[in-house]
Amino acid sequence: MSIPPRAPGGFPVVGIIGGGQLARMCAGPAAELGVTLAVLAEAPDVSAALVTPFAPVGDHTDVATVREFASHCDVITFDHEHVPAEVIDALLADGVAVHPGPAALLHAQDKLVMRAALTEAGVPCPRWAAASSEQDVIAFADELGWPVVVKTPRGGYDGKGVLLAERIDDVREWLAAAAERGEQLLLEQRVPFVRELSVLLARSPSGQAAAWPVVETVQTDGVCTEVIAPAPGLDAQAASAATVIGLDIAAALEVTGVMAVELFELEDGSVVVNELAMRPHNSGHWSMDGAVTGQFEQHLRAVLDLPLGSPRAREPWTVMGNVLGGEPTDLYPTYRHLMARDPELKVHMYGKSVRPGRKIGHVNVSGSDLDDLRERARHAADYIQGVITE
Amino acid sequence: MSIPPRAPGGFPVVGIIGGGQLARMCAGPAAELGVTLAVLAEAPDVSAALVTPFAPVGDHTDVATVREFASHCDVITFDHEHVPAEVIDALLADGVAVHPGPAALLHAQDKLVMRAALTEAGVPCPRWAAASSEQDVIAFADELGWPVVVKTPRGGYDGKGVLLAERIDDVREWLAAAAERGEQLLLEQRVPFVRELSVLLARSPSGQAAAWPVVETVQTDGVCTEVIAPAPGLDAQAASAATVIGLDIAAALEVTGVMAVELFELEDGSVVVNELAMRPHNSGHWSMDGAVTGQFEQHLRAVLDLPLGSPRAREPWTVMGNVLGGEPTDLYPTYRHLMARDPELKVHMYGKSVRPGRKIGHVNVSGSDLDDLRERARHAADYIQGVITE
């Protein structure tokens, strides 16, 4: 492994483990801040490696590899939540600054741990239980009714690792698989929510925190497809209550860096926590163009323990549309067309090859006419995906 | 020279000759657009090379070096205006797309050629003449009075290559040096301007053009220190007239890419052209944070002949303050302090070592209270430079 180029003036090197689009989107802000980015990449051509001069390829589960990578960096952070605890512990034993730390990270890695910690902290959650047996599931369903939401505590994302069980037969296979892994399953009450919200915030090691406006997220088949910032019609009191939940969680779990708290909004206007992410998050991509400080700049500032930037929205509304892979693979002519159609569109591509359903980019558009913005973001995303052709 | 990594999906490689801060500030937008950036760098540690994976070191005046670099790129553009015409001609002979082209570039390289072309195109200029002898200078001064502005046609920037001559004795040395170089000097009437304005625009090979709001620029000792977007108190008609001048020049000189037209505003509200820059320009740095499309993204779109983005300002005012090198060389603690003082401040550092007077970064701040914004931008720039200490 060579040595990353260091800018003069005492500016630090931020090492990111994992070379996906979240690491990639730190590259622009890092260049602006004068901070050097280093990426431990899965392969030479992953998303972030294409835009980062120092991106050695290495296995993030191998202690020696990660330790060597970290020896070139002033702080270590993550593109994903899959770095094993023993790797992080080895870094901490070396005296490396790691943000978020392993205690915080565990709550994103293990949903049972997360539920227990949130309940302990008094944060509103759906009713939940751990299940090792059919009896556990039946007891839960007897109390709260079918269907029951069943989750694997580890490794799920974008709707994977989640099962909506209508009857006990649906759960048997998952129970057996969990038992084989030596795990329990997480059971959750199916909450009759009216929509999904997300609180995005950053917290620094010094304990400073800053939250962006609460957004509405729209999922299609378990994958986030649209984010509206701020959440339409959310009154100030409800927005404030949701933000306080986010800040409480960040403080209770000692989160450092950017964190997302995904919420279900219930009919009475109250909220319960759905999921946590201990990193920049899809629900914060709007901030790259719509806020004074975007989430990737803020993440860098937070993990470096720099003062946080203003999360103020620059325009009344920003709508983000996720671009998913579809039939077309030759994307460049497609986005040329979109740029011609809508000069206000901010197109973000991740340098990833197209696979159906894969997140390969997103678009942001800001202004004052929300219906118009939603139509335009949706059109752009659908057009790149090939769902529509004009 | 190795080969730049190419993103899948048909996205092109933009090659920039020169690795200064203008090339560096293209890196973030390129990553967002999914476009690969390649930089022909002066040294491994120049500003842009620190943030670009493919940044071979090579001499921009050497035809073979530049041809090899260009063979890896889909279009060639520039960080500066110093690439010799014969190098560009060699690229064109190879069929390489070069933007701006040599004809346009010549007008930024040679101020006598620029004055002649603008006068030919009917664009308002200060009175001017070419001078080879003392008689030429005296004749010019007899008509327009002393002092006379004397410029070397080539190589000047940031106040270098400009002399305010009070009498013929002041010009003798420059006349002799010009004669030795086989050049004439450019004489210009000293215009009684009330302030300086800049029109920044982009024009694509297809002929599409987009202009940002006209800005006011403030120079200190010949160096731009502050930019106010839009220019305060400039009425719509005057702004429109200035913009039309910019668009006319871009069309007349067949400029491609971003271009700046620096203007003097006279007491009667009319304007004359001071200088041209055939590239992203200091007077456009505000757009990185203050406009829907920043100048570096727009430059990439223009040279790729992609549809241009909206130049709309996102906020009522944006003020840019240039950060010049001063006594302090350990800048990181300094900017940490500034971030704490002003969470809305956008700090841009160029990864350059400090030399007194060297442009090492800039700050942007946007909002609705112009006086407040100016104070904050000024404070930040002065604080980093070490002119003030609190």
Side-chain angles (χ1 to χ4, degrees):
Chain A
M1 211 175 282
S2 61
I3 290 181
R6 214 169 248 272
F11 291 87
V13 177
V14 176
I16 303 186
I17 299 183
Q21 67 261 31
L22 300 181
R24 178 189 178 97
M25 289 188 270
C26 289
E32 293 187 353
L33 292 170
V35 161
T36 298
L37 206 63
V39 169
L40 184 63
E42 293 82 356
D45 61 350
V46 292
S47 183
L50 293 174
V51 300
T52 311
F54 186 74
V57 173
D59 177 358
H60 65 262
T61 68
D62 181 66
V63 172
T65 300
V66 178
R67 285 179 72 185
E68 195 199 338
F69 174 73
S71 72
H72 302 302
C73 305
D74 296 293
V75 59
I76 291 293
T77 185
F78 309 96
D79 175 66
H80 55 68
E81 292 145 341
H82 310 312
V83 178
E86 57 269 26
V87 173
I88 299 176
D89 289 342
L91 298 182
L92 293 175
D94 289 347
V96 174
V98 179
H99 296 293
L105 212 51
L106 179 60
H107 298 91
Q109 290 173 332
D110 190 314
K111 293 188 172 76
L112 273 169
V113 173
M114 180 267 280
R115 283 290 177 218
L118 294 186
T119 302
E120 167 82 23
V123 171
C125 291
R127 293 281 299 277
W128 65 277
S132 309
S133 66
E134 293 184 27
Q135 287 75 4
D136 292 340
V137 180
I138 290 168
F140 190 81
D142 279 350
E143 194 182 345
L144 297 162
W146 295 99
V148 168
V149 178
V150 183
K151 295 182 178 177
T152 55
R154 287 172 172 268
Y157 66 97
D158 283 352
K160 294 178 186 69
V162 180
L163 172 72
L164 189 67
E166 301 284 351
R167 60 192 71 81
I168 190 65
D169 292 355
D170 296 345
V171 196
R172 284 205 179 96
E173 212 169 294
W174 280 43
L175 276 168
E180 214 158 280
R181 290 193 302 270
E183 281 181 6
Q184 294 182 295
L185 291 175
L186 169 63
L187 309 180
E188 291 180 353
Q189 178 189 13
R190 189 202 192 186
V191 179
F193 63 89
V194 291
R195 63 173 169 171
E196 296 187 56
L197 303 174
S198 178
V199 175
L200 191 82
L201 58 91
R203 186 172 171 279
S204 68
S206 297
Q208 191 196 4
W212 284 268
V214 179
V215 301
E216 176 175 342
T217 65
V218 180
Q219 334 289 322
T220 309
D221 301 329
V223 177
C224 174
T225 47
E226 184 186 22
V227 172
I228 306 168
L234 190 69
D235 68 44
Q237 201 181 338
S240 171
T243 303
V244 167
I245 288 173
L247 293 169
D248 283 349
I249 294 172
L253 307 187
E254 295 187 42
V255 177
T256 44
V258 165
M259 170 193 201
V261 180
E262 297 180 72
L263 300 166
F264 291 131
E265 185 182 18
L266 310 185
E267 231 166 319
D268 64 1
S270 67
V271 295
V272 294
V273 172
N274 179 23
E275 302 268 358
L276 303 184
M278 302 291 183
R279 49 168 171 74
H281 188 250
N282 204 159
S283 66
H285 290 353
W286 71 274
S287 65
M288 298 175 77
D289 299 302
V292 171
T293 310
Q295 68 167 343
F296 298 99
E297 176 183 342
Q298 196 78 303
H299 186 67
L300 294 172
R301 289 167 77 147
V303 302
L304 286 166
D305 209 9
L306 286 168
L308 299 178
S310 164
R312 174 174 68 84
R314 288 201 193 268
E315 305 216 30
W317 300 104
T318 297
V319 176
M320 192 276 324
N322 264 344
V323 175
L324 304 178
E327 284 287 314
T329 55
D330 197 18
L331 298 177
Y332 187 63
T334 306
Y335 100 159
R336 175 191 288 268
H337 169 92
L338 286 177
M339 287 178 175
R341 186 182 193 265
D342 192 345
E344 293 253 333
L345 196 70
K346 304 304 294 179
V347 183
H348 298 258
M349 300 303 297
Y350 303 158
K352 293 163 80 169
S353 56
V354 172
R355 286 202 300 262
R358 187 185 205 194
K359 289 179 187 171
I360 54 173
H362 70 269
V363 296
N364 285 331
V365 61
S366 304
S368 52
D369 182 341
L370 179 57
D371 290 339
D372 177 57
L373 297 174
R374 291 188 71 178
E375 189 282 322
R376 286 154 60 197
R378 162 73 35 180
H379 172 277
D382 285 351
Y383 187 84
I384 302 181
Q385 198 182 353
V387 176
I388 54 173
T389 55
E390 62 182 42
Chain B
M1 214 175 278
S2 61
I3 290 182
R6 214 168 248 271
F11 292 86
V13 177
V14 176
I16 304 186
I17 299 184
Q21 67 260 31
L22 300 182
R24 177 189 179 97
M25 288 188 272
C26 289
E32 292 187 353
L33 293 170
V35 161
T36 298
L37 205 64
V39 169
L40 185 63
E42 294 82 357
D45 61 350
V46 292
S47 182
L50 292 175
V51 300
T52 312
F54 186 73
V57 173
D59 178 359
H60 66 263
T61 67
D62 180 66
V63 172
T65 299
V66 177
R67 285 179 71 185
E68 195 198 336
F69 174 73
S71 72
H72 302 303
C73 305
D74 296 293
V75 58
I76 291 293
T77 185
F78 308 96
D79 174 67
H80 55 71
E81 292 144 341
H82 311 312
V83 178
E86 59 269 26
V87 173
I88 298 176
D89 289 342
L91 297 183
L92 294 175
D94 288 347
V96 175
V98 180
H99 296 292
L105 212 51
L106 179 59
H107 298 90
Q109 291 174 330
D110 191 313
K111 294 187 171 76
L112 272 169
V113 173
M114 180 268 281
R115 283 291 176 218
L118 294 187
T119 302
E120 167 80 22
V123 171
C125 289
R127 294 282 299 277
W128 66 277
S132 308
S133 67
E134 292 184 25
Q135 286 76 3
D136 292 341
V137 180
I138 290 167
F140 189 79
D142 280 350
E143 194 181 345
L144 296 163
W146 295 98
V148 168
V149 178
V150 183
K151 296 181 177 177
T152 56
R154 287 174 170 266
Y157 67 96
D158 283 353
K160 294 178 187 69
V162 180
L163 171 73
L164 189 68
E166 300 286 349
R167 61 191 71 80
I168 190 66
D169 292 356
D170 296 346
V171 195
R172 284 207 178 94
E173 213 170 290
W174 281 43
L175 276 168
E180 214 158 277
R181 291 192 301 269
E183 282 181 6
Q184 294 183 296
L185 291 177
L186 169 62
L187 309 180
E188 290 180 353
Q189 178 190 12
R190 189 204 193 184
V191 179
F193 63 90
V194 292
R195 62 173 170 173
E196 296 187 57
L197 303 174
S198 177
V199 175
L200 191 82
L201 59 91
R203 186 172 172 280
S204 68
S206 297
Q208 191 196 4
W212 284 269
V214 179
V215 301
E216 177 176 342
T217 66
V218 180
Q219 333 288 322
T220 309
D221 301 330
V223 178
C224 174
T225 47
E226 185 186 22
V227 171
I228 305 168
L234 189 72
D235 68 43
Q237 200 182 340
S240 172
T243 303
V244 167
I245 288 174
L247 293 168
D248 284 349
I249 294 173
L253 308 186
E254 295 186 44
V255 176
T256 44
V258 165
M259 170 195 201
V261 180
E262 297 180 71
L263 299 166
F264 291 131
E265 185 183 17
L266 310 184
E267 229 166 321
D268 65 1
S270 67
V271 294
V272 294
V273 172
N274 178 24
E275 303 267 359
L276 303 185
M278 303 292 182
R279 50 169 172 74
H281 188 250
N282 204 158
S283 66
H285 289 354
W286 72 273
S287 65
M288 298 174 76
D289 299 302
V292 171
T293 311
Q295 68 168 343
F296 298 99
E297 176 183 342
Q298 195 78 304
H299 185 67
L300 293 172
R301 290 166 77 148
V303 302
L304 285 166
D305 208 9
L306 286 169
L308 300 178
S310 163
R312 174 174 69 84
R314 287 203 193 266
E315 305 215 32
W317 300 104
T318 297
V319 176
M320 192 271 331
N322 263 344
V323 175
L324 305 178
E327 285 287 314
T329 55
D330 196 18
L331 298 177
Y332 187 63
T334 305
Y335 101 159
R336 174 190 289 269
H337 169 93
L338 286 176
M339 287 179 176
R341 186 182 193 266
D342 192 345
E344 293 253 333
L345 196 70
K346 305 305 294 179
V347 183
H348 298 257
M349 300 304 296
Y350 303 158
K352 293 164 77 170
S353 55
V354 172
R355 284 201 302 262
R358 187 185 205 193
K359 288 179 187 170
I360 55 172
H362 69 269
V363 296
N364 285 331
V365 60
S366 304
S368 52
D369 180 343
L370 179 57
D371 289 340
D372 178 57
L373 298 173
R374 292 188 71 179
E375 189 282 323
R376 285 155 60 197
R378 162 73 37 182
H379 172 275
D382 284 352
Y383 186 84
I384 303 181
Q385 199 182 352
V387 175
I388 54 174
T389 55
E390 64 182 41

